[in-house]
């Protein structure tokens, strides 16, 4: 460890020199201050995009395109830097022509290794927080005064009828709700459309044993964190009730029983026409921007196996699974071996069903306790909170690691988990379960970011597999008969119930359904990094495809992911929409290219 004052001086000197190079518009000099292997990740502040550039050439190219209109200044550290293993880390603040930002720097002897810059607020359009909070009442005697409730009722009645929203958000789950709250606070007229009867129903209507496998510290929503007595793992009905309450308290403009039947873009008028079935009544909305917040795990992948039409039992996708109660004494076959498959198998076994899991490809398994302690603990845990790690700081710390090198940070964690739980993994493999650690041993997070599938966070079902309570079958499905699932090797699995825990497709499948296949192909596949690993084909793209940033279709956006991503990235999507609403120029650098259609 180096002396704190020395590290502080080195970081401050680098920032001063960097700012001087930027002020002089000397992009070559600024780029030379980065290490030969280096990464600059920008969340909207410089690029009006979510973009990572690599190496000195990448930095120079981005600055040549963005520096004049960004006009950055005021780079300063916000707390004492720290150094370990030759890498100094510092938290930053800075300003641009249009906003204020925060960032993070990792500095080595060769120069900047990683730099994160994020837009935090727009000048002149700051959120009404803390000292800017609304008064809430007009003191004095006011003839004809309307109460808060009356004003809200009038606003609610007018929106979508007499006044059209600037933004329509399709999907009122956690993502749409978080974005709706952000837009509300920023004063952007928006309307969130949810096809279910109540906010939270996307959780409430799932199988009854569903719960969050991520711990509470990872799952806060914007503005309103869970209370300190909230359970570590939220049951689905509890999170559903929280979302319903959140919509009311945060005054999110929200329509329930609102099913979007079609949407079309008028390139001359630069607006969307959105057709909605609202509780059986047709409504036509117009909006400048359309956000699909339909869930990264929202478009079910329903397989098409021969014989599904002749199977006489019950069959459904895991997203439609009602829970285990009706299946006591029944023979259940669950096709799939990831989170939903394990949860459903365990619940069925608990209720007296005869359960077989069909594992078609290897699965990464990590025990919940190990993931919490080793994978998440430094950033999202009670210990992290005690150490001063706020949710915002944790989110930014995670965001500061470029995706290109994130696996290097993850591999040692999963090596530690593998060693810690070696006996567990030995027993699981002995039971015939096919394990993997990702293509490069980087574990769960990289699998999630690259493909959004292929893992199970073990909360008990693995022991049922190990001891044979959940029967395990390996192989591909050949076909179904009247009363069985038949694998390619001829194995017959008698079944009264078949659950297809076969995952979900790209979010642009919703665009195909609502707007049309041509537009879906125009924007291309959502999710993944282009890592050229299993189910994440190259070329390398460096950021999540199409998520939270401009797409090839003007006015069309995607918002999704887990609660952590919904919370964190909703800010950057909301700021992009706010800037457009206010007429602030938003020249996009590095617009998403389309390499894959689905």
């Amino acid at each position: 460890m180096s002396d704190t004052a020395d590290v502080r001086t080195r970081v401050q000197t680098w920032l001063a020199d960097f700012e001087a190079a930027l002020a002089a518009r000397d992009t070559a000099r600024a780029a030379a201050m980065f290490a030969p292997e280096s990464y600059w990740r920008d969340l909207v502040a410089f690029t009006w995009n979510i973009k990572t550039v690599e190496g000195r050439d990448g930095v120079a190219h981005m600055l040549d395109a963005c520096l004049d209109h960004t006009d950055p200044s005021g780079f300063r550290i916000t707390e004492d830097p720290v150094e370990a293993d030759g890498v100094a880390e510092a938290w930053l603040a800075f300003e641009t022509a249009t906003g204020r930002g925060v960032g993070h720097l990792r500095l080595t002897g060769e120069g900047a290794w990683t730099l994160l810059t994020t837009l935090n607020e727009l000048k002149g359009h700051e959120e009404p927080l803390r000292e800017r909070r609304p008064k809430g009442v007009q003191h004095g005697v006011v003839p004809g005064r309307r109460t808060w409730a009356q004003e809200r009722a009038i606003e609610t009645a007018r929106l979508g009828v007499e006044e059209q929203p600037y933004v329509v958000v399709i999907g009122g789950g956690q993502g749409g709700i978080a974005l709706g709250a952000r837009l509300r606070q920023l004063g952007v007229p928006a309307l969130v459309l949810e096809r279910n009867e109540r906010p939270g129903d996307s959780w409430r209507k799932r199988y009854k044993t569903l719960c969050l496998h991520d711990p509470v510290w990872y799952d806060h929503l914007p503005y309103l964190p869970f209370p300190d007595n909230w359970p570590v793992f939220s049951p689905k009905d509890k999170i559903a009730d929280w979302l319903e309450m959140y919509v009311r308290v945060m005054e999110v403009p929200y329509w329930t029983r609102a099913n979007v039947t079609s949407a079309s873009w008028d390139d001359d008028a630069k607006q969307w026409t959105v057709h909605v079935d609202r509780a059986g009544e047709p409504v036509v909305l117009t909006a400048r921007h359309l956000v699909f917040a339909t869930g990264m795990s929202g478009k079910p992948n329903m397989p098409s196996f021969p014989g599904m039409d002749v199977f006489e039992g019950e069959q459904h996708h895991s997203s439609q699974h009602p829970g285990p109660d009706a299946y006591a004494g029944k023979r259940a076959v669950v096709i799939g071996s990831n989170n939903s498959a394990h949860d459903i198998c365990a619940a069925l076994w608990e209720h007296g069903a005869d359960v077989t899991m069909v594992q078609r490809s290897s699965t990464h398994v990590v025990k919940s306790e190990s993931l919490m302690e080793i994978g998440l603990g430094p950033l999202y845990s009670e210990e992290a909170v005690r150490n001063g790690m706020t949710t915002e700081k944790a989110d930014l710390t995670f965001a500061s690691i470029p995706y290109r090198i994130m696996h290097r940070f993850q591999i040692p964690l999963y090596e530690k988990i593998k060693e810690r739980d070696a006996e567990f993994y030995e027993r699981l493999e002995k039971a015939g379960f096919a394990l993997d650690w990702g293509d490069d041993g980087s574990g769960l997070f990289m699998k999630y970011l690259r493909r959004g599938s292929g893992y199970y966070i073990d909360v008990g079902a693995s022991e049922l597999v190990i001891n044979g309570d959940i029967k395990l079958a390996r192989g591909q499905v050949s076909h179904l008969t009247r009363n069985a699932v038949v694998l390619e090797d001829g194995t017959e699995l008698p079944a009264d119930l078949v659950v297809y825990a076969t995952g979900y497709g790209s979010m642009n499948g919703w665009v195909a359904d609502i707007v049309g296949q041509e537009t879906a192909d125009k924007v291309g596949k959502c999710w993944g990094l282009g890592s050229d690993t299993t189910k994440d084909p190259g070329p390398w793209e460096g950021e999540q495809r199409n998520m939270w940033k401009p797409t090839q279709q003007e006015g069309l956006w995607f918002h999704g992911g887990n609660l952590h991503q919904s919370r964190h990235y909703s800010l950057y999507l909301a700021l992009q929409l706010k800037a457009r609403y206010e007429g602030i120029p938003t020249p996009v650098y590095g617009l998403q290219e389309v390499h894959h259609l689905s």
Side-chain angles (χ1 to χ4, degrees):
M1 301 291 290
S2 297
D3 179 76
T4 300
D6 177 59
V7 177
R8 186 183 185 95
T9 299
R10 284 198 291 119
V11 170
Q12 287 178 323
T13 300
W14 189 93
L15 288 174
D17 291 346
F18 183 60
E19 183 170 342
L22 297 181
R25 301 299 188 260
D26 190 343
T27 58
R29 178 177 149 206
M33 297 180 64
F34 284 73
E37 184 206 3
S38 52
Y39 308 88
W40 183 344
R41 186 171 193 227
D42 181 65
L43 306 183
V44 183
F46 279 70
T47 60
W48 289 108
N49 198 355
I50 293 178
K51 182 72 177 175
T52 299
V53 296
E54 301 185 6
R56 292 167 176 168
D57 289 345
V59 170
H61 190 276
M62 187 266 277
L63 287 175
D64 284 338
C66 302
L67 191 51
D68 281 342
H69 62 257
T70 303
D71 194 24
S73 63
F75 285 87
R76 61 196 184 279
I77 58 174
T78 55
E79 58 184 76
D80 281 333
V82 297
E83 184 175 40
D85 301 322
V87 180
E89 295 191 44
W91 290 100
L92 320 172
F94 63 94
E95 295 190 12
T96 69
T98 55
R100 300 178 188 89
V102 296
H104 184 273
L105 172 69
R106 290 185 180 87
L107 186 64
T108 71
E110 294 184 299
W113 179 31
T114 71
L115 177 63
L116 171 72
T117 50
T118 75
L119 185 65
N120 202 42
E121 62 182 6
L122 293 165
K123 293 177 180 176
H125 305 287
E126 295 84 358
E127 292 188 33
L129 303 173
R130 293 176 287 276
E131 68 275 2
R132 294 187 299 270
R133 70 176 72 223
K135 194 169 185 180
V137 66
Q138 185 178 359
H139 288 149
V141 180
V142 182
R145 178 198 298 268
R146 288 200 292 254
T147 66
W148 169 85
Q150 289 171 320
E151 293 283 5
R152 286 284 293 130
I154 292 169
E155 178 190 18
T156 300
R158 291 175 62 89
L159 186 60
V161 181
E162 299 173 43
E163 296 177 1
Q164 290 297 309
Y166 183 73
V167 180
V168 165
V169 180
I170 303 177
Q174 62 206 36
I177 288 171
L179 180 60
R182 297 275 196 194
L183 293 171
R184 175 77 176 178
Q185 294 304 304
L186 284 167
V188 178
L191 182 57
V192 180
L193 305 179
E194 170 58 42
R195 62 186 176 182
N196 283 308
E197 292 81 6
R198 296 164 60 190
D201 272 356
S202 54
W203 284 89
R204 196 175 284 112
K205 291 187 173 183
R206 296 290 302 279
Y207 55 92
K208 75 175 191 177
T209 55
L210 177 66
C211 69
L212 280 170
H213 290 333
D214 300 321
V216 62
W217 307 277
Y218 190 70
D219 294 329
H220 297 299
L221 270 70
Y223 309 111
L224 196 60
F226 295 113
D228 289 343
N229 63 347
W230 195 263
V232 174
F233 300 108
S234 302
K236 73 174 183 74
D237 295 293
K238 193 169 180 65
I239 195 72
D241 289 346
W242 181 265
L243 291 173
E244 187 170 27
M245 177 277 300
Y246 186 92
V247 167
R248 291 198 306 273
V249 171
M250 296 305 300
E251 301 177 15
V252 178
Y254 194 97
W255 282 3
T256 55
R257 300 175 65 193
N259 188 46
V260 178
T261 56
S262 68
S264 59
W265 171 254
D266 185 328
D267 201 44
D268 294 325
K270 300 297 181 185
Q271 71 177 20
W272 291 94
T273 300
V274 184
H275 292 266
V276 183
D277 178 334
R278 188 184 186 195
E281 296 293 326
V283 179
V284 179
L285 302 172
T286 58
R288 292 292 300 277
H289 297 274
L290 187 63
V291 180
F292 279 80
T294 46
M296 193 273 284
S297 298
K299 183 73 174 172
N301 258 339
M302 189 66 174
S304 179
F305 297 128
M308 288 173 67
D309 57 334
V310 302
F311 180 68
E312 294 177 353
E314 185 178 346
Q315 55 185 325
H316 49 244
H317 189 267
S318 59
S319 60
Q320 302 300 314
H321 184 62
D325 299 55
Y327 305 109
K330 302 290 187 181
R331 300 168 299 179
V333 174
V334 178
I335 298 173
S337 55
N338 295 336
N339 262 338
S340 293
H342 279 83
D343 286 349
I344 291 169
C345 284
L348 287 167
W349 177 84
E350 286 178 339
H351 283 73
D354 181 293
V355 188
T356 301
M357 177 190 293
V358 178
Q359 186 181 33
R360 299 180 299 163
S361 58
S362 62
T363 308
H364 172 59
V365 177
V366 58
K367 293 174 77 70
S368 176
E369 314 87 76
S370 300
L371 179 65
M372 285 182 59
E373 180 180 330
I374 297 172
L376 289 171
L379 295 180
Y380 301 99
S381 66
E382 203 61 44
E383 182 181 5
V385 172
R386 285 197 300 270
N387 292 335
M389 182 61 72
T390 64
T391 302
E392 180 186 38
K393 190 174 182 180
D395 290 349
L396 290 168
T397 301
F398 195 80
S400 75
I401 305 172
Y403 290 128
R404 174 76 88 173
I405 59 172
M406 188 174 283
H407 66 285
R408 299 186 204 170
F409 289 74
Q410 293 293 309
I411 288 170
L413 303 180
Y414 286 91
E415 288 290 340
K416 189 174 180 180
I417 289 172
K418 186 186 296 186
E419 181 179 349
R420 166 177 162 154
D421 298 325
E423 188 264 344
F424 164 74
Y425 290 116
E426 182 181 346
R427 290 189 297 122
L428 194 54
E429 289 189 304
K430 188 175 181 180
F433 194 88
L435 283 168
D436 74 62
W437 294 83
D439 287 14
D440 53 5
S442 58
L444 186 147
F445 282 119
M446 295 312 300
K447 270 202 161 190
Y448 172 71
L449 294 167
R450 290 164 173 171
R451 54 182 280 191
S453 65
Y455 52 83
Y456 168 54
I457 301 173
D458 179 40
V459 291
S462 288
E463 287 298 332
L464 296 177
V465 173
I466 288 169
N467 62 29
D469 290 324
I470 295 174
K471 299 171 186 175
L472 183 65
R474 295 261 305 271
Q476 301 301 316
V477 175
S478 169
H479 63 279
L480 277 68
T481 65
R482 289 186 307 107
N483 55 12
V485 175
V486 182
L487 304 185
E488 287 184 345
D489 66 1
T491 301
E492 287 198 23
L493 306 172
D496 305 300
L497 166 70
V498 178
V499 180
Y500 300 102
T502 45
Y504 299 85
S506 170
M507 285 176 67
N508 72 341
W510 291 110
V511 178
D513 291 348
I514 291 171
V515 184
Q517 190 64 51
E518 182 179 351
T519 303
D521 290 345
K522 183 177 181 180
V523 299
K525 178 181 174 68
C526 298
W527 208 260
L529 305 170
S531 62
D532 208 23
T533 57
T534 303
K535 295 190 177 181
D536 184 30
W540 178 251
E541 301 184 50
E543 292 288 344
Q544 294 285 354
R545 296 183 187 98
N546 279 319
M547 301 303 298
W548 318 293
K549 59 185 176 180
T551 68
Q552 289 287 345
Q553 172 58 58
E554 186 178 355
L556 181 62
W557 309 77
F558 294 93
H559 177 56
N562 57 30
L563 279 158
H564 154 251
Q565 290 168 310
S566 293
R567 171 186 67 244
H568 183 58
Y569 288 100
S570 60
L571 171 62
Y572 308 113
L573 177 49
L575 287 171
Q576 292 172 82
L577 293 167
K578 173 66 171 179
R580 286 162 173 79
Y581 177 67
E582 298 294 346
I584 298 171
T586 56
V588 176
Y589 173 79
L591 183 66
Q592 170 83 57
E593 296 181 16
V594 177
H595 300 291
H596 308 283
L597 301 184
S598 62

